[in-house]
Amino acid sequence: MILNYLKTAIRRILRNKSISMINILGLSLGMAVTFVILIFVFHELSYDNYHKKKDRIYRVLQENRRIDMTMTHTPYSMAEVLKEEYPEIEQTARVFGLFNTQVMKEQQFIEETYFFCVDKELFDILSLPLINGDPKEILNEPNDVVLTESIARKYFGNLNIVGKELVIRNAGDEIRLNVSGVMEDVPVNSTFKADFLVPIDLGLSRYNKIVKSSNKQEFSREYIRDSWENGLFMTYVLTDRPVAPQSFEDKFRDLEKKYLDEPGKKFYHLQPLDDIYFHSGDIFSSYSVKGDLTEVYVFSIIAFLVLVIACINYILLSTSQAMNRSYEVGIRKISGAGKKHLFRQVLTESFIITLIALPLSLILIEQFRPLLTRFLEKDFIQYGMLDWKMLISFAVVIFILSYLPGAFIMRYYSKISPVMAVSRNYSPVSSGAKVQKTLIAVQFVIFLVLVSASLGIYKQIRFTRNHELGFKPEHIIILPISGDHSIKPAFSGFKNALLSHNQIRHVSAAMWVPPTNSRMGMEVSKPGNPEERISLAGLYVERDFVETMGIQLAKGNSFAAYGQDPEKMVIINEAAMQKLGLEDPIGKELWPGKIVGVMKDFHYHSFRRKIPPMMLIAGNHMTRHVLIKITGKDTKAVISFIRDQYGHFSETGNFSYSFMGEHFDEIYKPERKLVSLVTIFSIIAIVIAAMGLLGLTIFTTQRRTKEIAIRKVNGARTVHVMRMLSGNYLKLILVAALIAVPLAYWVLQRWLQNFAYQTDISWWIFVISAILAIFITLVTVGFQTYRAASANPAESLRYE
């Protein structure tokens, strides 16, 4: 019996080659998109799952209410105190980033990003398997280092390197390290990325050179060990059993009262390892990778919608064929075939089509894999990481694509009367047309929502690029100098050398460069009321920052009006003036000096955040970036000149630059990526839907050949017949638009809530979406309807 089902199914597929091909292509596209999104979603959900003790791993967060910021920074002593005072804590480990470190290879220094100082106990908490080296001997000495496998091969060419020397440069000093171990590469789905691990003691000895204080305080080793007010250490915690983070709140309150100078201003919390990737969006951290749960939800919805369109496409074509198979079904029923036998036959055909489409979908995925990896900036399609959950999901998709169309087709077959079906004048049930129209309308709704969402997201991106920023980012070159400690002492000479070029207008420096997610919160006393404390965002800048950035002043002067080296001066923005409650702030005392100017509000952060009350602080000791304003003429020659001057003043010679406009591209990359992906999936969805419309139009014109011929004989013109055949589709687009517009509006409104400054949702977004749907529909069905409408009626009626 099964063999008979297979033979019949293959015979039908070969008999209807064009429709079968449309079905297979539509399903392969739908499966490829769905599989890719499923792989991406499972990859995102798998972060940190590889740790063997993941259910017992936490990290400590600091909620600083003085500056309204939550961060991963904790004091050095936190790890020791937690382990000593709370028996349920089995192990603790500190992590400190040794940023801006270069590693020597063949007498040249290479910048490395993932360089960390850690407690040896980190290997007992996280799963960091050693390939080479003794676990008891690693990181015992201050200058020990553990490398990952790929880094070992990069710098030594092999893994047999225990005892060999590695030379690094940090904060202008060369340091010789001894390789004590080699560990496996940290998996791509890890929130903690590390290539080099050195003892925490090395971090203590480098702390004072790396970290700069706003009040120029010296950070001695003893001070960092004992202080609970300063510390940039991330603390991992391993408990003896899984605990609820809330259960530790009272213990942290006791700890705060015991060790903090001002309890009630800082609060500590436990964050489970499982929450780090998706629930750290508002947490300031220099040490961990963050994910976007909204992105996972959006992609999951898109996968579902594409799967629905693929199913509808298959159902439309299959049900159209089913109408022409009524005679066959009638004969089978008369011959004794029951519903079960008919369903098995239909399911066999559906399953074969799906199985043919499956390898095509995998070929598509593999072909576009490099493009997807570059676009999403992560190699998430790794077949070695396919687990049983993912394979079950694939099987479910295949089952849905096989079973659902089969179940739908059986609705038609169950209504066919065997006696009527074999009669000459029998026509298929009329309810099929209603179902088809409903399914087509659903496809149009999905398409209109996806296109409207794409246009709305694109409009917001345009809004962020074209909206008044409050400064002029054009033609500003950025030089990072946080890793080059020779430039800052020689900044005055470097600046004068640059200004000697006639195409360079201004030179300055700043702690951070807009737009940025970084911020420094400061709690200051309100002028005239020292008891009242106000939280402001602070930014250390060089004297010519206002002129270089083109920031407008509302009151007072810029730092440039106060000599070459202004100190103890601040410029506040209008938001800060309002928060401080000052009508005439010029000359008022505000830490660390006095207010000399009021600047108009400018967007220092992205448009997701409101412009905060902030102040610019004159001071070059905290700056990390050089800003160079050029005329925009002969840019290549100017950059070459800047590179030469940098070489004269820098001891490292590691010159790199970017334009401020590139920073905007970087910070809004998630939105640009989202609009591109939604657009791509919209195109794929409409291609699949268009295939279904084309196949349906072919069947419709074939079934109505006689009707069309009679209408032509009775005087109907070609244009009237085309209008009759395509008019139903246009009506369905109108109905779909009535449903899609409020739905798309709601989706866009929800998404725009992520931005403090939003564009409006314009009417033309929905009009363009509808026009595009009409255009694609007319192009898809136009040729087939014209061909049917212009056919010779005599040929159609010759055999009637």
Short mmCIF file of all heavy atoms in Angstrom, two decimals, residues 758-783:
data_model
loop_
_atom_site.label_atom_id
_atom_site.label_comp_id
_atom_site.label_asym_id
_atom_site.label_seq_id
_atom_site.Cartn_x
_atom_site.Cartn_y
_atom_site.Cartn_z
N GLN A 758 11.80 60.37 18.97
CA GLN A 758 11.18 59.50 17.97
C GLN A 758 10.70 60.29 16.76
O GLN A 758 10.31 61.45 16.87
CB GLN A 758 9.98 58.76 18.57
CG GLN A 758 10.24 58.02 19.85
CD GLN A 758 8.97 57.57 20.54
OE1 GLN A 758 7.87 57.82 20.05
NE2 GLN A 758 9.10 56.91 21.68
N THR A 759 10.72 59.63 15.63
CA THR A 759 10.04 60.15 14.45
C THR A 759 8.55 59.85 14.56
O THR A 759 8.13 59.06 15.41
CB THR A 759 10.62 59.52 13.17
OG1 THR A 759 10.02 60.15 12.03
CG2 THR A 759 10.34 58.02 13.11
N ASP A 760 7.76 60.51 13.74
CA ASP A 760 6.33 60.20 13.73
C ASP A 760 6.07 59.06 12.74
O ASP A 760 6.85 58.83 11.82
CB ASP A 760 5.51 61.43 13.34
CG ASP A 760 5.92 61.97 11.97
OD1 ASP A 760 7.13 62.09 11.74
OD2 ASP A 760 5.04 62.25 11.13
N ILE A 761 4.98 58.35 12.96
CA ILE A 761 4.60 57.25 12.06
C ILE A 761 3.73 57.84 10.95
O ILE A 761 2.53 58.09 11.14
CB ILE A 761 3.87 56.13 12.82
CG1 ILE A 761 4.73 55.63 13.98
CG2 ILE A 761 3.53 54.97 11.88
CD1 ILE A 761 4.03 54.62 14.88
N SER A 762 4.32 58.11 9.80
CA SER A 762 3.64 58.83 8.72
C SER A 762 2.68 57.93 7.95
O SER A 762 2.90 56.71 7.84
CB SER A 762 4.68 59.41 7.75
OG SER A 762 5.60 60.23 8.44
N TRP A 763 1.66 58.56 7.40
CA TRP A 763 0.65 57.83 6.61
C TRP A 763 1.25 57.21 5.36
O TRP A 763 0.81 56.15 4.90
CB TRP A 763 -0.50 58.77 6.23
CG TRP A 763 -0.04 59.97 5.45
CD1 TRP A 763 0.32 61.18 5.93
CD2 TRP A 763 0.13 60.06 4.01
NE1 TRP A 763 0.72 62.04 4.92
CE2 TRP A 763 0.60 61.37 3.72
CE3 TRP A 763 -0.07 59.17 2.95
CZ2 TRP A 763 0.87 61.79 2.43
CZ3 TRP A 763 0.20 59.61 1.65
CH2 TRP A 763 0.66 60.90 1.41
N TRP A 764 2.29 57.88 4.80
CA TRP A 764 2.83 57.40 3.53
C TRP A 764 3.52 56.03 3.66
O TRP A 764 3.71 55.33 2.66
CB TRP A 764 3.79 58.42 2.91
CG TRP A 764 4.94 58.84 3.78
CD1 TRP A 764 5.05 59.97 4.52
CD2 TRP A 764 6.18 58.13 3.98
NE1 TRP A 764 6.26 60.01 5.17
CE2 TRP A 764 6.98 58.91 4.85
CE3 TRP A 764 6.68 56.93 3.50
CZ2 TRP A 764 8.24 58.51 5.26
CZ3 TRP A 764 7.95 56.52 3.90
CH2 TRP A 764 8.70 57.30 4.76
N ILE A 765 3.90 55.66 4.89
CA ILE A 765 4.51 54.34 5.12
C ILE A 765 3.55 53.25 4.66
O ILE A 765 3.92 52.30 3.95
CB ILE A 765 4.86 54.16 6.61
CG1 ILE A 765 6.04 55.07 6.99
CG2 ILE A 765 5.20 52.70 6.92
CD1 ILE A 765 6.37 55.05 8.47
N PHE A 766 2.28 53.38 5.04
CA PHE A 766 1.28 52.36 4.72
C PHE A 766 0.83 52.45 3.26
O PHE A 766 0.53 51.43 2.65
CB PHE A 766 0.08 52.50 5.67
CG PHE A 766 0.50 52.57 7.11
CD1 PHE A 766 0.42 53.76 7.83
CD2 PHE A 766 1.00 51.45 7.75
CE1 PHE A 766 0.81 53.82 9.15
CE2 PHE A 766 1.41 51.50 9.08
CZ PHE A 766 1.31 52.70 9.77
N VAL A 767 0.81 53.68 2.72
CA VAL A 767 0.44 53.85 1.30
C VAL A 767 1.48 53.19 0.41
O VAL A 767 1.14 52.47 -0.54
CB VAL A 767 0.29 55.35 0.96
CG1 VAL A 767 0.10 55.54 -0.54
CG2 VAL A 767 -0.89 55.96 1.70
N ILE A 768 2.76 53.44 0.70
CA ILE A 768 3.83 52.82 -0.11
C ILE A 768 3.77 51.30 -0.02
O ILE A 768 3.94 50.60 -1.03
CB ILE A 768 5.21 53.35 0.36
CG1 ILE A 768 5.38 54.81 -0.04
CG2 ILE A 768 6.34 52.51 -0.25
CD1 ILE A 768 6.68 55.43 0.43
N SER A 769 3.50 50.79 1.19
CA SER A 769 3.40 49.33 1.37
C SER A 769 2.28 48.76 0.50
O SER A 769 2.45 47.73 -0.15
CB SER A 769 3.15 48.99 2.84
OG SER A 769 4.19 49.47 3.65
N ALA A 770 1.13 49.44 0.51
CA ALA A 770 -0.02 48.97 -0.29
C ALA A 770 0.27 49.06 -1.77
O ALA A 770 -0.05 48.13 -2.54
CB ALA A 770 -1.26 49.78 0.07
N ILE A 771 0.87 50.18 -2.20
CA ILE A 771 1.21 50.34 -3.63
C ILE A 771 2.19 49.26 -4.07
O ILE A 771 2.06 48.69 -5.17
CB ILE A 771 1.79 51.76 -3.89
CG1 ILE A 771 0.69 52.82 -3.72
CG2 ILE A 771 2.41 51.84 -5.29
CD1 ILE A 771 1.22 54.24 -3.78
N LEU A 772 3.16 48.96 -3.22
CA LEU A 772 4.14 47.92 -3.54
C LEU A 772 3.46 46.56 -3.66
O LEU A 772 3.77 45.78 -4.58
CB LEU A 772 5.21 47.88 -2.45
CG LEU A 772 6.44 47.02 -2.72
CD1 LEU A 772 7.17 47.50 -3.97
CD2 LEU A 772 7.40 47.06 -1.52
N ALA A 773 2.50 46.28 -2.76
CA ALA A 773 1.77 45.01 -2.83
C ALA A 773 0.96 44.92 -4.12
O ALA A 773 0.93 43.87 -4.77
CB ALA A 773 0.85 44.88 -1.61
N ILE A 774 0.31 46.04 -4.50
CA ILE A 774 -0.48 46.06 -5.74
C ILE A 774 0.42 45.86 -6.95
O ILE A 774 0.12 45.07 -7.86
CB ILE A 774 -1.25 47.39 -5.85
CG1 ILE A 774 -2.34 47.45 -4.78
CG2 ILE A 774 -1.86 47.55 -7.24
CD1 ILE A 774 -3.00 48.82 -4.65
N PHE A 775 1.56 46.57 -6.95
CA PHE A 775 2.48 46.47 -8.09
C PHE A 775 3.00 45.05 -8.26
O PHE A 775 3.00 44.50 -9.37
CB PHE A 775 3.65 47.43 -7.87
CG PHE A 775 4.73 47.32 -8.91
CD1 PHE A 775 4.57 47.84 -10.18
CD2 PHE A 775 5.93 46.65 -8.62
CE1 PHE A 775 5.56 47.72 -11.14
CE2 PHE A 775 6.92 46.52 -9.56
CZ PHE A 775 6.74 47.06 -10.83
N ILE A 776 3.45 44.44 -7.16
CA ILE A 776 3.99 43.07 -7.24
C ILE A 776 2.91 42.09 -7.67
O ILE A 776 3.16 41.18 -8.47
CB ILE A 776 4.60 42.66 -5.88
CG1 ILE A 776 5.84 43.50 -5.60
CG2 ILE A 776 4.95 41.17 -5.85
CD1 ILE A 776 6.43 43.31 -4.22
N THR A 777 1.69 42.29 -7.18
CA THR A 777 0.58 41.41 -7.56
C THR A 777 0.27 41.53 -9.04
O THR A 777 0.10 40.51 -9.75
CB THR A 777 -0.68 41.76 -6.74
OG1 THR A 777 -0.38 41.60 -5.35
CG2 THR A 777 -1.84 40.86 -7.11
N LEU A 778 0.19 42.76 -9.55
CA LEU A 778 -0.12 42.96 -10.97
C LEU A 778 0.99 42.41 -11.87
O LEU A 778 0.71 41.83 -12.93
CB LEU A 778 -0.33 44.45 -11.25
CG LEU A 778 -1.59 45.07 -10.63
CD1 LEU A 778 -1.66 46.56 -10.94
CD2 LEU A 778 -2.85 44.36 -11.14
N VAL A 779 2.23 42.58 -11.44
CA VAL A 779 3.35 42.04 -12.22
C VAL A 779 3.28 40.51 -12.22
O VAL A 779 3.53 39.86 -13.25
CB VAL A 779 4.70 42.52 -11.64
CG1 VAL A 779 5.86 41.75 -12.27
CG2 VAL A 779 4.87 44.01 -11.88
N THR A 780 2.95 39.92 -11.06
CA THR A 780 2.92 38.46 -10.94
C THR A 780 1.82 37.84 -11.78
O THR A 780 2.05 36.86 -12.51
CB THR A 780 2.72 38.06 -9.46
OG1 THR A 780 3.78 38.64 -8.69
CG2 THR A 780 2.75 36.56 -9.31
N VAL A 781 0.61 38.40 -11.69
CA VAL A 781 -0.54 37.78 -12.37
C VAL A 781 -0.81 38.41 -13.72
O VAL A 781 -1.60 37.88 -14.51
CB VAL A 781 -1.81 37.87 -11.50
CG1 VAL A 781 -1.56 37.26 -10.14
CG2 VAL A 781 -2.30 39.30 -11.35
N GLY A 782 -0.15 39.57 -14.00
CA GLY A 782 -0.47 40.32 -15.22
C GLY A 782 -0.26 39.54 -16.50
O GLY A 782 -1.14 39.48 -17.38
N PHE A 783 0.92 38.91 -16.63
CA PHE A 783 1.22 38.21 -17.88
C PHE A 783 0.26 37.06 -18.12
O PHE A 783 -0.25 36.87 -19.23
CB PHE A 783 2.66 37.69 -17.84
CG PHE A 783 3.02 36.83 -19.02
CD1 PHE A 783 3.25 37.39 -20.27
CD2 PHE A 783 3.11 35.44 -18.90
CE1 PHE A 783 3.56 36.59 -21.36
CE2 PHE A 783 3.42 34.64 -19.98
CZ PHE A 783 3.66 35.22 -21.22
#
